[in-house]
Amino acid sequence: MEKKVRVRYAPSPTGFLHIGGARSALFNYLYAKKYNGDFVFRIEDTDIERNVKGGEESQLNDLMWLGIVPDESPMNPNPKYAPYRQMERIETYHKYAQWLIDHGYAYECYCNEEELDASREEQYSRGINAPKYDRHCLNLTEEEKEKYRKEGRKPCIRLKLQDHLEISFNDLIRGKVTFNNDDIGDWVIMKSSGIPTYNFAVVIDDHLMEISHVLRGEEHLSNTPKQIQLYKYFGWEVPTFGHMTIIINENGKKLSKRDNNILQFMSQYRELGYLPEAIFNFILLLGWTPNSEKEFFTLEEAKHEFDPSRMSSSPSMFDQNKMNWMNAQYIRKLDEKKYLEFIKPFLAKVVDITKVSDEKLLFMANMFKEEIQYGQEIVNLLKPLFEYHLDESDEAKEILALETTPLVVKEFIKQIDNVNDLEQDTLKMMFKNIATSTGVKGKNLYMPIRLLLTGQMHGAEIVNIIKLLGKEEVLKRVSK
Ligand code: GLU
């Protein structure tokens, strides 16, 4: 029987869900769903100083927001594999570390920071530019260890690498990759605090949780030979690895979490009014090229059409404009009810929406449905309709000071008073009539009215504004 596909997304709870993490999670998820497998969410929290409160929860919530629901997680454990947080699995790591020591594959190291630094310096001075652990503690006798312990030193545990061993694996995305153990060094599997390092814990967990495929970011590529060495010592089957390319910004530089000019966290998208379906689609295309011209995928479609052999092997560019464009497409596709619900929380920031009917809100929001790229944008567009602030620019002043303006306004007041309804056709006809009777056309006709009605030179179509404000309010504003 074919082995069941089991994949995992294993974030460290050190912050919010980042676009890179979301991409790893998404492709693991799709991989699982494509092959009827399981998608596991595991927490790698051994770097305790960097853990943040609420990190796990927000990662999980943001994944769910995107529609990526784990089959197993700390909240939804399978007893066969639990627990799902590494700090709750410490005993297990100790057991396996001891096994490695007992079989001569690992050893205690008592060197302190100064000694390690000195050894590195000494290697640099000999022209070695990638110094390694010098194996000072490899063959310590019991007496020597005892002496160190008496000095109060606590050992860490290092893995004893097989010398000259070439480690190759077939990466799902980049093909054959080869490393040589001689370029690595006996690395620490257990810190002196008794907490395992990432490279050690990840192997134990992936094995015990029966993970079949490991899809993760390129930054982990150089960790893979370390991990494979462990699989070899334990005699365990090595999972299939796939390393996704880095995400770069428009200047070709690796996306940095510290770059505040670029939105990178799911929480930011959520707050600004990006739709999860749009972000999902954007991330999908950030690591994978479909076999057709198709540009929009639902989660269900992605599950079926995803083909791992088409995952990109060159860096993916994060293009904010494309993301905005994509989000705009999804906004346009919302039906009226969904659009209204989507836009309401943003409007609620500028106006007491309980005082305005849904019908009116929808009318207002619809004026910009084709225009906005994300929800928050509606706020500035609609604000002038709720509160009047006159544009103080020279251009606006010039328009109000035009010789023809008093005439236009007088005629507008007269005609608006006489129309029977405020429908588009009626109002358009009315403006034509004003043009005929005053001889003023175009900008000089519309701009003064717009300024008096909204205070702004730009915004919604004038006929829509009139309908929205109602005759009484329109008269009030222009008569001022
Ligand atoms: N905790 C690691 C990270 O957040 C996971 C790496 C892996 O998938 O092996 O990068």
Side-chain angles (χ1 to χ4, degrees):
M1 204 179 79
E2 278 271 309
K3 209 176 144 192
K4 184 164 196 197
V5 167
R6 284 180 53 83
V7 295
R8 82 306 191 270
Y9 171 58
S12 304
T14 52
F16 297 119
L17 182 61
H18 181 257
I19 184 110
R23 189 181 62 156
S24 295
L26 171 62
F27 284 101
N28 276 289
Y29 174 81
L30 291 178
Y31 201 89
K33 296 305 136 190
K34 170 105 187 171
Y35 297 106
N36 292 318
D38 297 327
F39 171 62
V40 176
F41 177 87
R42 179 177 76 216
I43 285 291
E44 303 203 328
D45 53 356
T46 57
D47 197 351
I48 41 182
E49 280 97 55
R50 292 185 55 226
N51 292 345
V52 299
K53 214 170 159 254
E56 171 184 325
E57 212 181 11
S58 74
Q59 288 263 348
L60 206 48
N61 285 344
D62 286 345
L63 275 190
M64 309 265 237
W65 178 69
L66 287 172
I68 304 173
V69 183
D71 298 300
E72 295 163 27
S73 75
M75 307 303 163
N76 179 27
N78 176 340
K80 184 173 172 198
Y81 303 113
Y84 289 77
R85 294 184 192 98
Q86 292 187 326
M87 287 307 282
E88 295 168 12
R89 301 169 64 83
I90 297 291
E91 282 314 309
T92 306
Y93 308 127
H94 276 276
K95 195 177 96 195
Y96 285 100
Q98 192 55 50
W99 187 93
L100 289 169
I101 294 180
D102 294 345
H103 289 77
Y105 297 138
Y107 59 95
E108 289 182 343
C109 167
Y110 289 84
C111 294
N112 61 27
E113 273 315 310
E114 291 88 78
E115 287 158 352
L116 292 174
D117 281 346
S119 159
R120 269 192 290 267
E121 283 310 316
E122 189 272 331
Q123 294 181 57
Y124 283 132
S125 74
R126 282 192 287 127
I128 298 170
N129 48 26
K132 295 182 300 187
Y133 179 59
D134 62 10
R135 290 188 161 168
H136 173 271
C137 295
L138 178 58
N139 295 308
L140 293 184
T141 61
E142 259 321 302
E143 291 71 42
E144 286 168 314
K145 288 186 195 170
E146 189 51 33
K147 192 174 145 261
Y148 279 133
R149 283 197 285 265
K150 282 213 174 103
E151 285 174 23
R153 296 195 193 207
K154 273 198 172 159
C156 66
I157 301 173
R158 287 183 187 271
L159 192 68
K160 181 189 174 230
L161 297 192
Q162 276 172 273
D163 294 327
H164 320 308
L165 181 70
E166 262 205 354
I167 291 186
S168 295
F169 58 97
N170 248 326
D171 192 285
L172 213 54
I173 296 162
R174 6 186 117 224
K176 190 172 174 189
V177 185
T178 305
F179 289 90
N180 194 306
N181 261 0
D182 293 343
D183 301 323
I184 307 176
D186 291 354
W187 53 278
V188 174
I189 59 171
M190 281 289 215
K191 293 182 244 177
S192 55
S193 59
I195 294 177
T197 56
Y198 154 71
N199 276 311
F200 182 54
V202 73
V203 169
I204 309 295
D205 292 347
D206 284 343
H207 172 71
L208 295 179
M209 294 183 171
E210 300 186 87
I211 298 301
S212 60
H213 296 73
V214 172
L215 290 177
R216 58 186 174 197
E218 180 176 280
E219 65 276 17
H220 289 291
L221 191 63
S222 60
N223 287 323
T224 307
K226 294 183 174 179
Q227 297 175 12
I228 291 179
Q229 169 78 87
L230 276 166
Y231 283 100
K232 286 184 184 290
Y233 280 157
F234 285 122
W236 292 340
E237 194 183 331
V238 182
T240 303
F241 290 99
H243 291 89
M244 275 173 271
T245 55
I246 53 166
I247 304 176
I248 52 173
N249 65 21
E250 276 145 65
N251 303 321
K253 289 231 178 70
K254 187 174 183 226
L255 213 60
S256 153
K257 289 189 186 170
R258 279 171 289 274
D259 187 344
N260 294 328
N261 294 323
I262 307 178
L263 299 173
Q264 304 184 40
F265 295 95
M266 295 308 119
S267 47
Q268 293 175 307
Y269 298 130
R270 209 194 253 225
E271 269 162 42
L272 283 172
Y274 285 80
L275 291 163
E277 297 83 355
I279 303 295
F280 172 89
N281 198 61
F282 179 80
I283 298 175
L284 178 69
L285 299 180
L286 196 62
W288 175 71
T289 321
N291 200 2
S292 62
E293 298 282 289
K294 190 165 160 174
E295 241 176 334
F296 300 102
F297 293 83
T298 62
L299 189 124
E300 283 309 313
E301 288 167 341
K303 276 189 207 169
H304 294 115
E305 293 173 45
F306 170 63
D307 169 3
S309 72
R310 298 188 64 86
M311 285 174 75
S312 11
S313 54
S314 48
S316 327
M317 188 172 86
F318 178 88
D319 181 345
Q320 181 87 52
N321 292 329
K322 181 162 177 209
M323 179 183 252
N324 286 346
W325 173 83
M326 197 164 270
N327 200 51
Q329 307 308 308
Y330 278 87
I331 291 178
R332 287 175 200 192
K333 280 195 268 184
L334 292 176
D335 64 29
E336 297 213 321
K337 193 160 166 270
K338 287 206 177 112
Y339 180 57
L340 184 64
E341 288 315 311
F342 168 65
I343 227 71
K344 264 185 179 175
F346 299 100
L347 283 179
K349 291 181 203 157
V350 288
V351 55
D352 180 359
I353 53 169
T354 57
K355 290 214 176 101
V356 188
S357 70
D358 275 0
E359 200 191 347
K360 197 165 175 182
L361 278 184
L362 186 63
F363 179 83
M364 283 195 255
N366 267 341
M367 297 194 283
F368 298 103
K369 192 175 180 189
E370 304 280 309
E371 201 173 306
I372 55 169
Q373 295 191 311
Y374 52 91
Q376 174 66 31
E377 281 183 318
I378 203 80
V379 173
N380 281 341
L381 290 167
L382 292 186
K383 226 180 181 169
L385 300 179
F386 290 103
E387 43 185 67
Y388 183 88
H389 285 297
L390 185 61
D391 181 340
E392 306 267 5
S393 70
D394 288 345
E395 211 189 334
K397 281 181 190 149
E398 271 166 36
I399 284 170
L400 290 176
L402 284 173
E403 211 183 305
T404 50
T405 294
L407 182 65
V408 166
V409 174
K410 204 171 138 214
E411 190 61 24
F412 175 79
I413 294 175
K414 190 171 126 202
Q415 298 228 13
I416 190 91
D417 219 9
N418 288 331
V419 292
N420 296 324
D421 62 62
L422 298 181
E423 294 312 316
Q424 290 223 358
D425 290 346
T426 315
L427 294 175
K428 280 186 179 153
M429 182 53 78
M430 179 194 79
F431 274 106
K432 260 198 196 132
N433 292 339
I434 300 174
T436 319
S437 53
T438 59
V440 184
K441 283 192 303 221
K443 192 176 159 193
N444 291 358
L445 166 62
Y446 290 100
M447 274 299 178
I449 306 293
R450 172 184 291 284
L451 272 167
L452 290 171
L453 291 180
T454 68
Q456 304 296 309
M457 310 255 297
H458 307 283
E461 267 194 72
I462 190 111
V463 288
N464 286 334
I465 296 169
I466 294 172
K467 172 155 185 186
L468 188 69
L469 292 174
K471 208 185 258 189
E472 202 182 322
E473 181 67 20
V474 165
L475 284 170
K476 207 168 104 196
R477 292 194 182 187
V478 286
S479 313
K480 261 209 271 183

